[in-house]
Amino acid sequence: MIISDSQRMWFTTQLLSYYKLSGRTLPWRTDSNLYKIWVSEIMLQQTTVKTVIPYYEKFINAFPTVLKLSAASLTEILLLWQGLGYYQRAKNLYLGSRIISEIYQGAMPGTLNEWLKIPGVGLSTASAILAIGTNQYHTILDANVKRVITRFFTISSNNHPSKYNKTLWEVAQKLTSKEEPGDYAQAIMDLGATVCLNRNPECGKCPIHLHCKAYISNSVQNYPEKINRKPKTTYKEVCLLIRNQHNKYLFVRNDKNKLLESLWQPPTFPWPETNKIPTLDSINGLFTLHYPEFRSGKIVTLSKITHDFTHRTNDVYPFCIHTETKKNPTGTWLEIEEWKSIPVSTLYQKVLKAYLSVEQS
DNA sequence: CAATCGTGGTA
DNA sequence: TTACCAAGATT
């Protein structure tokens, strides 16, 4: 793809004046610094601005500097992150804050290679941080940029995803403003997020639509190409609300599975039968296998909870077990409403809230 | 490198 | 209701 200097100049000029005129006012754009931009960029990975804003405000309020963040505990951080998803990001921010505090003495890194060593920071995020934070000449390639440039040049993958991605990086780089790379990065993201929308783009409001190949050929809806996803599978599990003689419930931290790792939840075990649902009688064998110390006591069957992830559906079959154990298992005993003091995923918040509403009725 | 990792919004 | 998708990185 050949892009001349004059093409680039026109493209960037249009975007920069668009940004100056109608760029969004966002929390991480006011009273900004590299730390806050880093936090915002991590939160915004695969997550919409609207969802991020309240999380960002709470996070920066609790951890206003990288040193404050590095002095926190992972639990404190996950408490503020719960419900936002992709929890490895929170752990990476924590790890990164420790690196910056110890290796860089709290000074935010100023080069691309330094940022690329921070966990969770890839090429696009590192470039965004430096372009926006320091106006260094770096190119970003996020979903917004991909949407804008695949439409503008009608770029297709032709079943060569690797070559496709390489082309996108090259085009994105050739278009990047050399004078104002920071504003340019924010301009093209604002355009993608508010005008060049995935569905129902508002091409009439677009500052570059007159030269947009997809607009000219009336094929905007064909770009970018849709991602072929694997068919979603259903995963069934039994969830145990284990209640002891002090009216406390057992919570455990997920240290085994990558999904929802480091978050807390009631104990669970997988339900292997695809076509049968777990019942009081049928869970007995597996219950004995997984939690022999809690075999005694009454068992109450609760309603199924379903939760959709991107790649699979979880069907959770909760049971409430009454037990009188003096053993101290791995985990912690809490009053049912005390789950709010530990980080819990949206999935298990659903389970707990449903149980609580049944308990009260 | 294709699969994995969360959640809420939207059509 | 279901499917798709968002300021991607990692393995």
Side-chain angles (χ1 to χ4, degrees):
Chain A
M1 184 96 42
I2 296 174
I3 300 168
S4 66
D5 279 350
S6 62
Q7 278 182 295
R8 188 196 76 234
M9 295 288 275
W10 178 80
F11 193 94
T12 60
T13 301
Q14 293 297 105
L15 259 64
L16 287 171
S17 56
Y18 157 82
Y19 180 65
K20 201 172 210 175
L21 192 65
S22 44
R24 293 172 291 179
T25 300
L26 298 170
W28 43 90
R29 288 180 180 172
T30 59
D31 188 29
S32 195
N33 59 41
L34 274 175
Y35 167 68
K36 293 180 183 178
I37 294 168
W38 173 43
V39 171
S40 74
E41 287 299 327
I42 299 300
M43 285 189 169
L44 286 161
Q45 286 170 357
Q46 301 290 281
T47 310
T48 58
V49 165
K50 184 184 177 184
T51 300
V52 164
I53 286 175
Y55 282 90
Y56 174 85
E57 302 278 21
K58 280 189 297 180
F59 196 94
I60 292 298
N61 189 46
F63 313 116
T65 67
V66 67
L67 290 176
K68 294 277 189 183
L69 181 59
S70 69
S73 68
L74 183 59
T75 299
E76 289 176 82
I77 296 167
L78 286 173
L79 269 173
L80 292 179
W81 204 277
Q82 59 180 332
L84 191 56
Y86 286 148
Y87 297 95
Q88 187 62 36
R89 295 182 298 174
K91 191 178 296 178
N92 285 339
L93 268 180
Y94 180 55
L95 293 172
S97 75
R98 303 295 294 252
I99 292 171
I100 293 167
S101 301
E102 290 166 19
I103 309 219
Y104 300 100
Q105 279 81 43
M108 300 303 288
T111 70
L112 197 66
N113 282 334
E114 288 173 326
W115 273 109
L116 289 173
K117 291 174 188 158
I118 303 296
V121 177
L123 183 53
S124 188
T125 298
S127 301
I129 292 168
L130 288 176
I132 297 169
T134 71
N135 202 36
Q136 285 182 48
Y137 175 60
H138 293 296
T139 298
I140 63 166
L141 184 60
D142 68 340
N144 292 305
V145 180
K146 284 180 185 171
R147 200 161 49 249
V148 171
I149 67 180
T150 55
R151 285 173 174 171
F152 192 80
F153 296 104
T154 57
I155 303 171
S156 302
S157 77
N158 299 315
N159 286 326
H160 290 94
S162 180
K163 186 181 176 187
Y164 174 64
N165 202 256
K166 186 167 182 270
T167 301
L168 294 182
W169 271 108
E170 288 171 356
V171 171
Q173 188 166 43
K174 286 178 183 173
L175 292 172
T176 301
S177 165
K178 295 185 177 176
E179 293 76 23
E180 296 294 337
D183 280 354
Y184 171 82
Q186 302 188 82
I188 195 166
M189 288 193 285
D190 275 21
L191 185 71
T194 63
V195 175
C196 193
L197 301 166
N198 188 276
R199 285 176 289 194
N200 303 327
E202 303 179 37
C203 298
K205 297 181 182 173
C206 178
I208 55 174
H209 75 280
L210 288 179
H211 289 88
C212 174
K213 282 194 176 182
Y215 174 77
I216 293 167
S217 60
N218 192 27
S219 59
V220 173
Q221 67 282 358
N222 296 339
Y223 302 90
E225 289 178 354
K226 288 181 181 175
I227 302 163
N228 287 322
R229 297 178 198 275
K230 275 175 44 178
K232 204 184 278 192
T233 58
T234 299
Y235 172 80
K236 295 179 191 296
E237 68 177 17
V238 174
C239 178
L240 303 173
L241 296 158
I242 302 173
R243 176 183 178 177
N244 72 10
Q245 62 271 40
H246 306 300
N247 199 27
K248 292 192 172 186
Y249 295 78
L250 183 59
F251 287 82
V252 296
R253 195 176 69 183
N254 173 19
D255 294 325
K256 292 179 182 173
N257 306 308
K258 290 300 180 184
L259 184 63
L260 307 179
E261 190 177 31
S262 302
L263 298 186
W264 291 76
Q265 60 178 86
T268 58
F269 56 82
W271 179 251
E273 303 270 357
T274 308
N275 296 319
K276 296 178 183 173
I277 64 169
T279 64
L280 278 185
D281 293 334
S282 61
I283 66 168
N284 232 325
L286 286 171
F287 187 34
T288 306
L289 179 64
H290 291 282
Y291 298 101
E293 64 270 40
F294 301 125
R295 276 211 71 207
S296 61
K298 189 174 80 172
I299 304 183
V300 178
T301 307
L302 301 161
S303 302
K304 178 180 77 167
I305 303 289
T306 65
H307 185 77
D308 282 320
F309 297 104
T310 302
H311 294 285
R312 79 184 202 205
T313 297
N314 266 31
D315 285 351
V316 181
Y317 295 88
F319 294 84
C320 182
I321 317 288
H322 293 245
T323 186
E324 289 193 14
T325 182
K326 293 185 177 169
K327 292 182 183 174
N328 195 14
T330 308
T332 183
W333 294 95
L334 296 176
E335 307 259 340
I336 189 63
E337 301 220 40
E338 283 185 299
W339 67 262
K340 291 174 183 175
S341 67
I342 53 175
V344 178
S345 68
T346 298
L347 165 57
Y348 293 107
Q349 288 189 18
K350 270 190 203 175
V351 173
L352 292 166
K353 286 173 182 171
Y355 172 67
L356 203 54
S357 70
V358 171
E359 273 285 279
Q360 289 171 341
S361 60

